[in-house]
Amino acid sequence: MGAKAIVPATVRSDKHKDSKKSKSKKAKSRPAQLLIDSRADIADSLMTPIVEATISAQDTSIYRAIELKLVSGGLLTNDPIVFSNDSSLFYLAKDNAVAVYNVQNGEMVQNFSALRDSEGLDRAAIKSIVADSQSQHGVYTFSADHKARLWNADSGEQLGSWDLEASPTFVAADPLNPARFFCALRRRRQRNGQIVYRYTVCRIELNADGTVQRKDLFKANSLLGLAVRSDGQWIAAFSKFRVHVVQIRADERVVRHAWGMTERVSAVAFHPTEPVLAVGDWRGRIVFWFCVDELEEDSEDREIVRRTHHWHAHRVNAIAFAGNGLMLSGGEEGVLVMWQLLTETRDYLPRLGSDITGIAVSPDQMSYAITLRDNTVRIVSSVDRSLVSLLQGLKFAERGVALTQGLKLAENHGIEQMRRARALDADPFTTGLVVHPVTHALVLNGEPGRLQVFSPLSDRHLSSIEVAAYTRVSGTSATNVSRPHVDLVQYSSDGAWMATVDSRRADASQGLMNVTSSYLKFWRRDPGDQTYKLASRIDNPHTGGVSSIAFQPVLRKGRESLICVSAGNDRTFRVWELQHTASSDMWSCRSSAQYRGLQPTSAAFSADGSTLAVAFGGAVTLWDASTCAAPVGVLVASASTPELKGVSFIGASSYLAAWSDERLDVWNMLTGSVWWTLAMPIQDVFVHPRAELLAIAAYQIPESSTASVMVLSPASPNPLMALHHPGGVEAVALIPSAKSGKSGRSHPDTEQGQPKPDPLDSNLLVALTPSGLLSVYGAESDTPSFTSTDFKKAPGSNTLGQPMESSAFASIFGSQPEQQQQPEKVELLANAQVRSAMRLVRTAVQSSYVNAPYHVLPPVPSLFNQFATAQLVPVATTDEAPVPDTDKMDIDSDTEMIDDQADLKEQATDPWSNAEFLASMRRGFST
């Protein structure tokens, strides 16, 4: 993407204080400062003179080349799954990719998508999947880019491609011809200044030479589904209140019939052997239409023999027939109903956990595939109804797709869109992405009243936590079900405790407004089964709901005292303390506090747990965590600062981040001033609990299809990583990578003078899209990226590596010499110790040691080793000493002595070794 991926930033810079612009602003304002007197008027504290600085390509030396590691999550249940011809595999469409799973264990065995050689990843969503009847593991895909493709599911190889000239919405195979398909093509048109869609139901034949033969059957303004009978001569399609039945006779003549319905139609399916059409509606009825094959000429609303089967209390979402005439149906009740049509009896598979959205029968008739609205796929044995395999996806995906496809839902479903919009308003995404401190899995909103634990690296749903129970299925007369919503979740730093806030509203259509009751719950982790069990519940801890919760960090294992802070909509924050009793542990309110009648929006503890920061309006108040009696200081960036929505200390550093919808301020707690400010529309901010990193996601630009995502260090507003993510970003998080170890922590080395490991090498960036996909980004490699042209782009990735010569470090000590492409040099660069030395040089550049004020720098002796090692000239192999180049910085790429202890051990017999030289110089320098 280049430097255009970076948004303009507003940066505080001391070296510009003498500029004319700074002087003009200084006469009108006072510097931002730490107000020790808590009674000081907020309006008297104005912003520090600042300099508008657009981050350009010449100031990008600290960027890291990043790549897209993997994509997980996504919607699994948009359409019924498709079995392979041998019934050993099943296929799912995940956005623009096809995922292939094993039926017996639910493990993914293949994943492939369409690629364009020059344009990268083709992001056209797959609309339908059809198994190729001529091969066991062949599969056709029909995409929104008007393409039909044939794939080998074993190898992921594309075998053919055809242009349909329109977007296919519903596709069904012709049972008699493997190259023929019945599909509904949608075209977009403008009529009277409005965009309208027109559907054409047709039969297409995909020829081996890449051409397409098409026969139009009929046209309609709206279509919601399509079904084909086993003989391939009858096709049924339906819209809101209309059912179309089309017959293709032997002479290719088309006969069409249409019926208007009094109830809204939700599903249709043909009996496999009899001339019977099953029609499901919104009242829960399944109506059998008999003698369909006796229709001779085109007709409208012709009388037909019908019979009604009624068990479902709500809409019938799916109907399917097995080979033995068994009918399967499912809906909102979460119960699979199996109808024995000959004996007129029913059998049930209840408690599936969510609404049934689709049913598929395997070709060998041994398995049923049930897709649920909570993004779950269940493979059930048709013999004993036992569970064969279970595939659970990200629960957020169904909510995201419903929002992104709102226009389509409104067009196709009318009042259903209103009902689902109310349900989404009642169950919004409020927890954000929370990283579990022990497992490093993502914790976020799941089903109503539940939390889901999801691993983005393994693309697995790990568990579900029921925070609040409720009745899932309402009666036939009920219109709205009062569902609980999990507003917040937080964990203690050791993962032993979890705090949640759930709430209820009298009317689900009111969303988060008018909260009637809220509950603060504390959960203790059971060491035995590693599950969280409820320990304390506080009813209505704050009037009107809770806006934020935060745990005090646990500094030592086995600590008995622990506190948690909650900020509420009653203009107070409360401190909850863990009390130990003989029988159990309980939490009680220790104290509460207010500040000028303002509304607290967020709270956070410092890394040592001694200071509590609470955001009130546009100010950040600082409190002594041991007493919380009165604020010990107030941080105000400007009198016009908008209301803050988040505050957090950044790792164990001396920096604090506070952000609103429009800007982010990073404060230096040592000086009590704004260190830098980033002005941008902020969607989400994630602050790493241990490493000195924070990730920012910006709102999607209206005229663009991408959103900006950045990873920054608190020392500088220049991003360490930056990219434009396609499709927008809902939330971001930083998780430990697999190579960072079990704990995922970045501990400093025990040896003095050794820097901390680069946090970008041990952490991955996770971006959640509105459609429910989790994109995982990471640093390209362990070595620094010198030029952006050396990085081979991965799909969806961005290269922001720039030459290191543009850094302040290079401007002082000289530019880096060019690397000679010699065989021995290439072999040397592969040495792990030399790569470690290169990381030291990169760390010195990226840590802003040169640009940072002297009073926040580490002690000089701790920096001397790595600095002097980088400046040492390699020992010449000839008698003639090498002549150093004074114009360029010398890098000892041949030196393998990185660790002081290793140097002393390996060169104990050499009186003039580098190790002793460094040690002696360090002793002389420190004195």
Side-chain angles (χ1 to χ4, degrees), residues 61-84:
S61 59
I62 60 174
Y63 294 163
R64 293 292 304 277
I66 58 177
E67 61 182 354
L68 180 64
K69 299 292 185 180
L70 59 96
V71 177
S72 58
L75 187 65
L76 308 178
T77 59
N78 195 28
D79 294 303
I81 72 169
V82 177
F83 284 96
S84 61

Side-chain angles (χ1 to χ4, degrees), residues 112 175 186 213 270 356 374 468 491 563 658 685 793 879 888:
F112 52 87
R186 188 181 72 170
Q213 293 181 354
F270 278 105
I356 296 177
D374 65 349
Y491 292 90
I563 64 175
V685 176
K793 287 187 177 182
D879 296 336
K888 292 186 177 182

Side-chain angles (χ1 to χ4, degrees), residues 126 134 137 310 872 907:
I126 294 177
Q134 291 182 316
H137 296 161
H310 195 180
L872 289 178
Q907 301 184 4

Side-chain angles (χ1 to χ4, degrees), residues 584-601:
S584 62
D585 298 334
M586 61 177 298
W587 289 77
S588 61
C589 183
R590 189 186 73 181
S591 60
S592 62
Q594 295 183 346
Y595 180 74
R596 299 191 174 190
L598 297 176
Q599 179 77 35
T601 55

Side-chain angles (χ1 to χ4, degrees), residues 445-469:
N445 288 112
E447 303 172 68
R450 285 178 173 264
L451 293 171
Q452 59 178 318
V453 184
F454 191 86
S455 173
L457 300 183
S458 61
D459 196 11
R460 280 289 183 180
H461 173 87
L462 301 180
S463 63
S464 180
I465 305 173
E466 186 179 44
V467 177

